[in-house]
Every structure is written in structure tokens, then in C-alpha cells.
Amino acid sequence: MHPTIRLIVRNLTISINPGFLVWQVIFPVIYIFVAGFAYTALIKSVPFGNITLDYPAFIASGMIGFNIMNSTLVSGIIIWNDRRHGMFEQILVGPFTRTNYILSNVYTIGIVGIISAALITAIGFPLFFTSVQFNALTIPFLIFASITGSILFGSIASIISTRLRSSEGFNVIINTVFLFFAFVSTAFYPASGAPQPLATAFYLNPLTYLVDIIRAGIFGTFTEFVMIEMIVLVSVAVTLFIVAIRLLTKLDL
């Protein structure tokens, strides 16, 4: 078996465990079906593009992007644990190179991101199926969002994991950063109606672009603005990916 594939299998084996499945499946289900309907009393409908969505459909589609982001935490956790427990050195002493190690992490976050997106799409489908406008661009948009989002947020997690050594620092920083991404975005509520400083902050957040692209794919609202969001998302993902790769190639043994 190719060394990179062996490392991918190892990454998936240690990442996909009961705790991970609870966080990636049970939590989104509770949020979609409990919060989605509970908040309907406060948010009856949400404008998106040239259509109007009910809140359960809005949050169910937003949770797809949220879950893609959350799933990429495995990349940072794997790298940080490998460094902490000396596995990084042991891997490089074996029949593996830094390139194998880096590629295995890239493929892992891509696989986990696509699986996560597929799971939440299937779970949330009963809530947004009445508004779904599937066409030839729907699947490409969802795949694009899954892969680009995984690389972007996986790169952020990897960058953080290469710069911190203490468990307290790693957990505080990575949880704070990802909580900011989650709640200062349009994943759970629209930018329209929010105070201007907060609405501006939404569009400094890559998760906003990710969920907008996902919603455009599901609800068929393809606009020039969505295309600009795709270009911005790719640009940020490529930049962060290059930074993460450079830091990983210089990682001390």
C-alpha cells in the first residue's frame, strides 16, 4: 500500500470515533430540529437572493457549512497530537516522508469534509426540500464548497497546531477561533437586519462565503455576487494552504 494511503487510513481510523460522530451528527441534528423550529417564533422567514426561506430551511443549509468547518478540526488535532506524543518523529523515521504526511492530512480533511457535508445534507433535506431548486450546478457547487471549505479551515487548524505546544493554549485558541467563525457568520442567522458593524464582520468571515455558496447550490440562486464569493473563498483557501504547507515542511522533529 502506498505510504500516503496508509497514513490516510491511519488518520481516518483515529479521527472517526464515537465522540466525533456525536459531535458531527447528533449535535447538528439537535440544532437543526430543535433550534430551527424553536426560533421560528422569532424568525419566520429569511430573504436569500431573490427567494424567501423559512428559518428551518435556512439553518439546515447553514449547518452543512458549519459541519464542514467543524470536521476540519481533525487536521489540527492530528498534527498537534503527533507532535505532542512524538508520533511525528516516529512517522518520519519509518517509510514515510514529509510529503506523504502533508498529503495524507490534505486528503483526510477533504474526505471528512465531503462525508460531513453529505450527512448533514441528507439529515436536513426534509426541512429544505420544498425550496430546493436542483439543477446542473447544484452538485458541483456542493462539491466545490466541501473541498474548498475543508482546505481553508483545515489549513487554519494546521497553522494553529504548528505554532502552539501547550494543550491549554491549543484548545483555547482553536476553540475561540472556530467559535468566532461559527457565530459571526450567516450560518445561523442572516446579515440583513444585523447592526452594520456585525454585518460587516460577517463578510470578513470565510464561513459566510461558504454557506452562501452552499445555499446558492441548494436553492438555485446563482448570482454574480455568489461567483465573487467563490473567487474570494478559493483565494483565501490557496493562501492559507500555502502558509500551512510551508509551516509543516519546516516543522521541527
Side-chain angles (χ1 to χ4, degrees):
M1 185 183 293
H2 192 279
T4 301
I5 296 176
R6 290 171 62 185
L7 288 174
I8 293 171
V9 172
R10 167 222 177 228
N11 292 345
L12 293 175
T13 301
I14 62 177
S15 300
I16 302 177
N17 52 54
F20 176 81
L21 292 175
V22 167
W23 179 245
Q24 289 298 113
V25 179
I26 305 302
F27 172 75
V29 167
I30 292 173
Y31 211 95
I32 289 171
F33 288 95
V34 176
F37 286 103
Y39 292 162
T40 301
L42 300 174
I43 309 173
K44 296 188 181 298
S45 62
V46 180
F48 180 70
N50 56 359
I51 64 172
T52 299
L53 305 173
D54 58 31
Y55 186 68
F58 181 84
I59 196 171
S61 54
M63 284 299 292
I64 298 172
F66 173 81
N67 243 38
I68 291 172
M69 179 189 74
N70 251 7
S71 66
T72 61
L73 282 170
V74 301
S75 174
I77 292 170
I78 287 171
I79 294 169
W80 189 82
N81 279 322
D82 283 346
R83 294 179 66 211
R84 182 186 183 190
H85 300 293
M87 280 302 300
F88 183 65
E89 293 88 341
Q90 293 183 44
I91 287 170
L92 295 187
V93 169
F96 306 102
T97 64
R98 284 177 184 262
T99 301
N100 296 144
Y101 185 81
I102 293 169
L103 287 176
S104 70
N105 278 283
V106 173
Y107 291 135
T108 298
I109 60 177
I111 292 168
V112 173
I114 290 173
I115 292 173
S116 178
L119 282 172
I120 301 305
T121 301
I123 291 168
F125 186 76
L127 297 183
F128 53 67
F129 78 95
T130 55
S131 304
V132 166
Q133 297 290 333
F134 283 139
N135 57 53
L137 293 177
T138 298
I139 299 302
F141 264 53
L142 293 178
I143 293 174
F144 169 87
S146 299
I147 294 174
T148 308
S150 296
I151 291 173
L152 191 155
F153 291 107
S155 296
I156 292 174
S158 299
I159 291 168
I160 293 172
S161 68
T162 61
R163 309 310 297 171
L164 299 172
R165 287 192 174 274
S166 73
S167 59
E168 294 82 5
F170 175 75
N171 287 320
V172 167
I173 296 298
I174 203 162
N175 285 320
T176 300
V177 169
F178 276 69
L179 277 175
F180 171 83
F181 284 142
F183 292 105
V184 187
S185 74
T186 56
F188 300 112
Y189 25 73
S192 58
Q196 190 56 47
L198 183 58
T200 301
F202 282 2
Y203 284 95
L204 297 175
N205 184 348
L207 183 59
T208 292
Y209 296 85
L210 180 63
V211 296
D212 282 356
I213 293 165
I214 290 170
R215 289 186 178 121
I218 293 174
F219 303 116
T221 54
F222 307 119
T223 63
E224 288 185 8
F225 183 68
V226 172
M227 295 303 172
I228 292 172
E229 287 183 309
M230 294 176 75
I231 293 170
V232 171
L233 198 70
V234 168
S235 300
V236 175
V238 169
T239 302
L240 291 173
F241 181 69
I242 291 171
V243 172
I245 292 297
R246 288 185 175 177
L247 289 174
L248 284 170
T249 54
K250 296 178 180 178
L251 203 60
D252 295 331
L253 291 175

